[in-house]
Amino acid sequence: MTSSDWKEKIITSLQDAGRRKFLNTAALAGLAGTGLSVGLSSCKKPEPGAAVSGAGKIGATHALGSSNVTYGEFEVPPGQLDQYYTFSSGGHSGEARVYGCPSGRLFKRIPIFNLDCESGWGITNESRAILGARADGSLKYTTGDTHHVHGSYTDGTYDGKYLWTNDKIHSRLARIRLDYMVCDKIIDIPNVQGFHGIFPDKRDPLDPKINHTTRVFCGQEFHVPQPNDGRDENDPKKYYCIFTCVDAESMKVRWQCKVDGNLDLVATSYDGTLAGSNQYNTENGVTYEEMMSAERDACVLFNIARIEAAIQSGRHYTIGDSKVPVVDGTKDANKDPKTALTCYVPVPKNPHGVNATPDGKYFVCSGKLSPTTTVIDLGLVHKWFDGALKDPRDTVVAEPEVGLGPLHTGFDGRGNAYTTLFLDSQIVKWNIDKAIAQFKGDKQVDPILDRIDVHYQPGHGFTSMGETREVDGKFFISGNKFTKDRFLPVGPRHPDQEQLIDISGDKMRLIADHSVDPEPHDSIIVKRDKIRTRQINDLNEHPLAVKDAKDCRVERKGKKVTVHLTSQAPAFGLREFTVRQGDEVTIILTNLDKVEDLTHGLAIPMYDINFVVNPQQTKSVTFKADRPGVNWVYCTNFCHALHLEMRSRMLVEQA
Ligand code: K7E
Ligand code: CUA
Ligand code: CA
């Protein structure tokens, strides 16, 4: 198909969807011209008199779009709990977030790659050890860009143990332990720039007894020379991308696989045998014009067992200083399907998003610059790897036209898929079997079942339990990138929005507008009974815990001073302590309170120290006492009727 054919197709679908003319004209201009301006200035204004948000009034019936929606049935009244957790990435805030679903209430922000003075993340020694320091003691990085959060699996569903998320900026993988909902590990992924897609495996392809996550796969979006040490800078044809496998438990990088083109999102099969990644830059372009020059890009599939066998047999190399074994997954090195490590399935055009259907059969890749989604049959992919199928393209079993700018797809477990349409500002519901029948030649069948407007420009879309075998088909959340008129204005920077859609019936129903901080990308909606948190820390988990108020003391070794301190409402274990100007002071604070939710804080004026300790938790900070004088060390977290009185004096003596 030539590029003018594509424009033709787009124009046709524009005419089909004539009611969004303004948007679509802008989109068309964007696609035909500069590309990057697509749809951005084209958000629809609501009809005069239409309810802008139906979420505010309990039980009231609002006209939302064309359908009458009663929000009351989804209201979570005071004192009631949500049915689901939504775990969300925080984009360039560098954090992750925990919401309730369907309420949309924000429960927690989990600091990861960012600094957070509420918890003391990036301030305490414990969090700094996780974040990683340079030789001079400063933090290695203080920014991050989290795009995707995914949970650990047992038996094809969430086991509530871990979440993983990526830092696209600095190519780091972070793990969150879900019992405390805190980040417990961050690692650097070597040889990689623009680490974007991420997905845990769902079982082991080699050992049938291992039915839980043991690997996390990571995709590289930006191609670079390898090693990236100044060589081949002006020769983009010699830039490559790398697919990385990390051990889920040890968080060590196990292996890497070099690929042609780039990697964007990542999906894994339910049987553990395959991982896949959509590629929008098979052109190896360095400008967006180059990156969108080909009619088709690809979804590359990784044969995990073969890659690990190749590593075992020593068919690998290393890059630069990195000791990680790398195998060659490029096309040239994998011409024979029977030994190939990778299979490149052609997919139109600059695809985005690859999602595994919960029946385990397919990967669905969204076309982005093509108005289509591509359904890849994983059984046929194995046939190709067996040598029984000649052309990788023969693994494609459907390619329905869904609308403009398809990005991500969620599933309901009833055979239907829900794809976000960035340019159309819609969610489209389509049936996978019908799409397959249509692709086979049945002209009577229309796979498109329903469309609903969202406000506006959705990116990620995901369903409740939708990435598990326990998919329940109740809710879809549309992660919208633009809001404009949907909320009270807060200045030029608008909040983003996650719109909640009821997908339990034939027709989708928009049931709530939830504002969210910029900029969530991906989320997962997890049944609440999958998550079992601990409400009190274990006093023994910190080796330096101050286990008794009687153990509070100041210890000096030369210029290094350690203050062993406890907190117990409404007092710190030491009412005052004295150090000398020039001392390097470490304060170790254990919260001896055992009452759930009885958190204390510790802040020191002029020393940039601020953190909290939860019941039975210990944290520490180290700083230089460089100015003489009185410093009121105070509790920052309202803990007691005498909270304001909960203070200690740090006396810094003149040197
Ligand atoms: Cu998951 Cu936003 Cu990084 Cu698609 S990406 S929208
Ligand atoms: Cu302790 Cu406020
Ligand atoms: Ca491309």
Side-chain angles (χ1 to χ4, degrees):
M1 215 175 239
T2 68
S3 70
S4 60
D5 287 339
W6 279 110
K7 278 177 204 155
E8 204 48 43
K9 274 197 139 202
I10 287 162
I11 290 165
T12 313
S13 43
L14 288 171
Q15 285 161 346
D16 290 348
R19 65 205 168 88
R20 275 177 308 284
K21 222 160 194 147
F22 180 37
L23 167 66
N24 289 336
T25 309
L28 181 63
L31 284 169
T34 62
L36 290 190
S37 63
V38 277
L40 300 194
S41 57
S42 51
C43 298
K44 286 161 294 175
K45 292 280 177 198
E47 300 294 317
V52 171
S53 165
K57 292 171 200 162
I58 299 167
T61 299
H62 296 276
L64 287 170
S66 55
S67 61
N68 280 345
V69 171
T70 304
Y71 181 57
E73 61 190 287
F74 302 101
E75 176 71 9
V76 182
Q80 298 290 301
L81 302 179
D82 277 291
Q83 295 299 311
Y84 302 87
Y85 288 92
T86 303
F87 297 105
S88 180
S89 65
H92 40 308
S93 72
E95 63 186 21
R97 297 168 190 148
V98 188
Y99 297 93
C101 176
S103 76
R105 293 169 185 156
L106 173 65
F107 297 148
K108 182 170 180 164
R109 296 162 37 248
I110 305 174
I112 303 170
F113 304 112
N114 55 326
L115 302 181
D116 180 57
C117 63
E118 185 276 322
S119 59
W121 192 257
I123 297 166
T124 62
N125 294 333
E126 291 74 16
S127 59
R128 292 171 71 88
I130 292 168
L131 279 162
R134 295 181 194 277
D136 67 357
S138 65
L139 285 178
K140 212 162 158 189
Y141 304 110
T142 57
T143 61
D145 185 16
T146 63
H147 282 235
H148 305 109
V149 286
H150 288 292
S152 54
Y153 286 81
T154 295
D155 251 341
T157 191
Y158 298 125
D159 60 19
K161 200 169 178 196
Y162 296 124
L163 298 176
W164 287 274
T165 190
N166 68 310
D167 169 20
K168 179 167 165 176
I169 307 173
H170 305 300
S171 300
R172 291 178 293 172
L173 177 70
R175 186 173 70 188
I176 293 161
R177 53 182 287 186
L178 276 171
D179 56 351
Y180 288 131
M181 293 199 190
V182 294
C183 173
D184 77 335
K185 198 107 177 125
I186 294 176
I187 62 158
D188 294 301
I189 310 236
N191 309 320
V192 162
Q193 208 172 97
F195 159 33
H196 187 229
I198 169 181
F199 219 102
D201 72 357
K202 300 186 183 97
R203 63 184 310 136
D204 195 287
L206 309 168
D207 183 346
K209 289 199 292 296
I210 300 178
N211 69 341
H212 61 272
T213 295
T214 55
R215 301 168 182 79
V216 182
F217 298 113
C218 310
Q220 171 180 1
E221 189 182 338
F222 304 155
H223 60 331
V224 288
Q226 293 171 354
N228 190 12
D229 57 1
R231 74 188 66 191
D232 300 329
E233 282 181 330
N234 290 313
D235 193 356
K237 294 288 158 219
K238 289 192 186 146
Y239 298 1
Y240 287 94
C241 279
I242 284 200
F243 185 70
T244 300
C245 173
V246 176
D247 189 283
E249 217 36 69
S250 71
M251 290 286 280
K252 295 231 160 57
V253 178
R254 281 203 200 171
W255 50 259
Q256 298 189 306
C257 178
K258 172 177 157 183
V259 296
D260 288 315
N262 76 336
L263 303 168
D264 190 14
L265 282 295
V266 175
T268 60
S269 67
Y270 279 81
D271 64 2
T273 60
L274 296 169
S277 180
N278 64 295
Q279 306 187 287
Y280 65 78
N281 187 19
T282 53
E283 300 93 338
N284 267 15
V286 293
T287 64
Y288 75 78
E289 293 91 340
E290 287 169 12
M291 292 183 207
M292 61 188 279
S293 60
E295 291 312 319
R296 276 182 182 161
D297 289 290
C299 179
V300 56
L301 292 124
F302 297 89
N303 188 319
I304 304 303
R306 280 194 195 165
I307 289 174
E308 298 196 349
I311 303 267
Q312 282 285 315
S313 67
R315 278 196 289 136
H316 55 79
Y317 64 102
T318 56
I319 299 170
D321 301 335
S322 160
K323 296 201 171 54
V324 174
V326 184
V327 291
D328 189 344
T330 57
K331 281 184 192 165
D332 275 352
N334 293 276
K335 285 199 172 122
D336 179 3
K338 286 188 166 155
T339 58
L341 310 179
T342 49
C343 171
Y344 293 78
V345 178
V347 170
K349 169 179 189 168
N350 286 38
H352 190 70
V354 54
N355 298 92
T357 59
D359 61 7
K361 289 188 191 161
Y362 310 109
F363 282 172
V364 175
C365 220
S366 300
K368 194 168 76 184
L369 300 190
S370 158
T372 55
T373 53
T374 301
V375 181
I376 298 167
D377 183 321
L378 302 185
L380 294 178
V381 171
H382 277 297
K383 258 193 167 173
W384 182 87
F385 276 121
D386 292 343
L389 209 65
K390 254 188 90 197
D391 186 348
R393 179 68 194 172
D394 292 341
T395 63
V396 172
V397 291
E399 206 152 73
E401 263 196 51
V402 292
L404 292 187
L407 290 184
H408 292 280
T409 301
F411 307 98
D412 64 6
R414 300 186 295 269
N416 304 315
Y418 301 77
T419 301
T420 58
L421 301 174
F422 182 81
L423 298 178
D424 270 344
S425 282
Q426 282 189 335
I427 309 305
V428 55
K429 174 182 179 180
W430 53 280
N431 181 273
I432 298 167
D433 283 342
K434 286 186 175 173
I436 292 170
Q438 185 190 47
F439 194 76
K440 276 195 189 131
D442 185 342
K443 295 233 162 52
Q444 305 304 315
V445 63
D446 180 5
I448 307 298
L449 303 181
D450 192 21
R451 290 176 191 278
I452 190 169
D453 291 338
V454 292
H455 312 88
Y456 308 91
Q457 265 83 28
H460 272 279
F462 37 90
T463 59
S464 42
M465 296 297 285
E467 294 184 286
T468 75
R469 284 206 191 283
E470 294 184 312
V471 53
D472 62 11
K474 295 215 168 105
F475 293 112
F476 179 94
I477 289 178
S478 174
N480 303 336
K481 304 291 191 192
F482 292 76
T483 49
K484 295 193 171 182
D485 44 35
R486 296 299 282 192
F487 301 110
L488 289 177
V490 289
R493 177 60 150 147
H494 293 261
D496 286 332
Q497 180 178 217
E498 305 220 315
Q499 281 189 305
L500 185 67
I501 294 168
D502 168 22
I503 56 165
S504 59
D506 287 344
K507 290 270 170 204
M508 291 178 277
R509 295 193 299 160
L510 177 60
I511 50 182
D513 279 15
H514 294 140
S515 68
V516 282
D517 273 355
E519 180 187 70
H521 284 251
D522 202 4
S523 308
I524 55 174
I525 307 175
V526 180
K527 271 204 184 106
R528 70 182 188 196
D529 60 11
K530 297 284 166 195
I531 307 296
R532 295 161 303 275
T533 64
R534 300 171 64 160
Q535 302 311 112
I536 306 279
N537 278 72
D538 175 356
L539 186 66
N540 294 313
E541 73 201 358
H542 197 298
L544 302 175
V546 189
K547 292 184 185 167
D548 193 306
K550 291 200 292 287
D551 297 335
C552 287
R553 63 195 185 277
V554 177
E555 265 175 6
R556 172 175 292 279
K557 274 190 193 134
K559 283 195 142 316
K560 293 196 175 186
V561 175
T562 306
V563 181
H564 302 261
L565 192 63
T566 58
S567 61
Q568 211 163 4
F572 289 110
L574 297 171
R575 304 305 170 91
E576 61 176 65
F577 55 92
T578 304
V579 298
R580 268 174 239 142
Q581 185 182 9
D583 283 344
E584 183 196 283
V585 180
T586 297
I587 296 178
I588 303 165
L589 175 63
T590 300
N591 181 356
L592 289 182
D593 276 311
K594 289 182 184 151
V595 179
E596 198 174 315
D597 207 18
L598 215 176
T599 294
H600 297 287
L602 183 145
I604 310 180
M606 316 303 181
Y607 281 97
D608 209 15
I609 302 282
N610 185 12
F611 65 98
V612 296
V613 274
N614 299 313
Q616 302 284 292
Q617 188 179 32
T618 300
K619 288 180 184 172
S620 64
V621 286
T622 299
F623 60 97
K624 196 149 186 202
D626 49 9
R627 286 177 312 279
V630 174
N631 297 85
W632 283 103
V633 176
Y634 73 96
C635 176
T636 53
N637 202 79
F638 211 109
C639 55
H640 190 273
L642 291 172
H643 155 73
L644 293 166
E645 290 82 350
M646 184 168 173
R647 304 190 227 161
S648 175
R649 277 186 306 155
M650 179 173 78
L651 307 173
V652 183
E653 291 178 343
Q654 268 180 9

